[in-house]
Amino acid sequence: MMSESGKTDFNAYHYFDKRVGPFRNLSSLPKQEAEEISNQLRQEGLSFASKRSDDYMMIRRELEMKAYEQFVTKGGKPMHTFPHYMTLGACNWLESWYMEPDHVRIPWEYLKEAHVSFTYGDLFPTMRYTDGKPYRKQVYTKSEIVDVILRYGWPQEWNRQGNLGPERYIEVQVWDKRIIEPYIGYSKTPLLNTKDT
């Protein structure tokens, strides 16, 4: 995936609605509150989130736990039991999810190996589809995802229209809130000058 400068774009992107702000996460809420907000989004029918099924939050929490367990098995050190979501490389399609789209970009070098995982595609289809593709039901580390991209390419490029399967982007799961805090305006421990070790 090439950036405007012609270099491979390994930056992480988070897309959101300007009216709400970045990194608003249903998984961070108590179960009842998350269900209420999810129902409200469905009733309003104004965003991509309105198309989600009634059991969305239950399924989401189950999939997040599977991703968490796989990541820990591979040596990850998640600071939370749920991730914040981003894409690896830009994915303009996600702007269509929001009434007033915007995004933040976090450079690759600020994504700590111990605190980020990746799926080849959104967590939902990656963990639920049973079509035999080798990247299904897999969570990758930062060092592993580069080889996966070399082998399969960028979904944002080969599946721009979404007609070749559910893979539309590579998802980044951020398991340490300190990585995103500088981008939501309340950083207590900024990591902007911290590189992977």
Side-chain angles (χ1 to χ4, degrees):
M1 172 126 221
M2 299 300 244
S3 67
E4 291 176 6
S5 65
K7 295 181 179 178
T8 301
D9 186 5
F10 279 99
N11 296 308
Y13 291 78
H14 174 73
Y15 295 87
F16 61 95
D17 193 307
K18 287 180 190 178
R19 299 169 303 162
V20 178
F23 298 108
R24 302 297 297 265
N25 194 329
L26 287 171
S27 297
S28 69
L29 302 173
K31 183 178 178 181
Q32 184 63 35
E33 187 177 350
E35 291 290 351
E36 288 170 5
I37 291 173
S38 190
N39 288 336
Q40 180 183 348
L41 291 170
R42 271 194 299 280
Q43 290 171 3
E44 289 173 355
L46 299 175
S47 67
F48 186 84
S50 68
K51 301 173 186 173
R52 294 172 175 159
S53 65
D54 290 343
D55 59 355
Y56 169 78
M57 283 307 303
M58 181 189 72
I59 295 167
R60 175 172 167 159
R61 290 182 194 274
E62 288 173 5
L63 297 179
E64 287 176 340
M65 186 52 63
K66 286 181 183 178
Y68 175 93
E69 291 168 355
Q70 275 196 42
F71 186 45
V72 169
T73 299
K74 291 188 170 195
K77 295 179 172 46
M79 304 297 286
H80 309 285
T81 56
F82 61 88
H84 286 275
Y85 295 97
M86 303 188 76
T87 66
L88 188 61
C91 182
N92 296 335
W93 170 66
L94 291 177
E95 292 180 344
S96 70
W97 288 20
Y98 304 104
M99 299 288 289
E100 295 181 35
D102 202 354
H103 70 274
V104 296
R105 181 180 60 82
I106 300 179
W108 172 257
E109 57 267 23
Y110 301 153
L111 304 176
K112 306 287 283 176
E113 176 93 24
H115 302 300
V116 294
S117 62
F118 302 82
T119 49
Y120 194 81
D122 184 273
L123 186 65
F124 265 66
T126 296
M127 293 300 194
R128 298 177 78 201
Y129 270 57
T130 55
D131 57 8
K133 291 183 178 176
Y135 46 78
R136 296 284 187 239
K137 304 188 187 321
Q138 300 295 316
V139 170
Y140 297 102
T141 64
K142 184 177 178 180
S143 55
E144 291 174 325
I145 196 63
V146 175
D147 289 334
V148 173
I149 294 167
L150 288 173
R151 184 167 185 186
Y152 301 107
W154 294 88
Q156 296 99 307
E157 292 179 353
W158 62 258
N159 195 19
R160 287 182 198 275
Q161 305 306 315
N163 57 333
L164 300 175
E167 308 89 337
R168 299 293 298 268
Y169 51 84
I170 295 167
E171 187 173 87
V172 183
Q173 296 92 33
V174 178
W175 299 94
D176 184 349
K177 197 171 184 179
R178 292 176 301 168
I179 293 172
I180 65 169
E181 281 178 345
Y183 301 88
I184 50 180
Y186 61 89
S187 175
K188 296 181 181 111
T189 313
L191 296 179
L192 292 180
N193 296 318
T194 305
K195 308 272 188 196
D196 282 338
T197 55

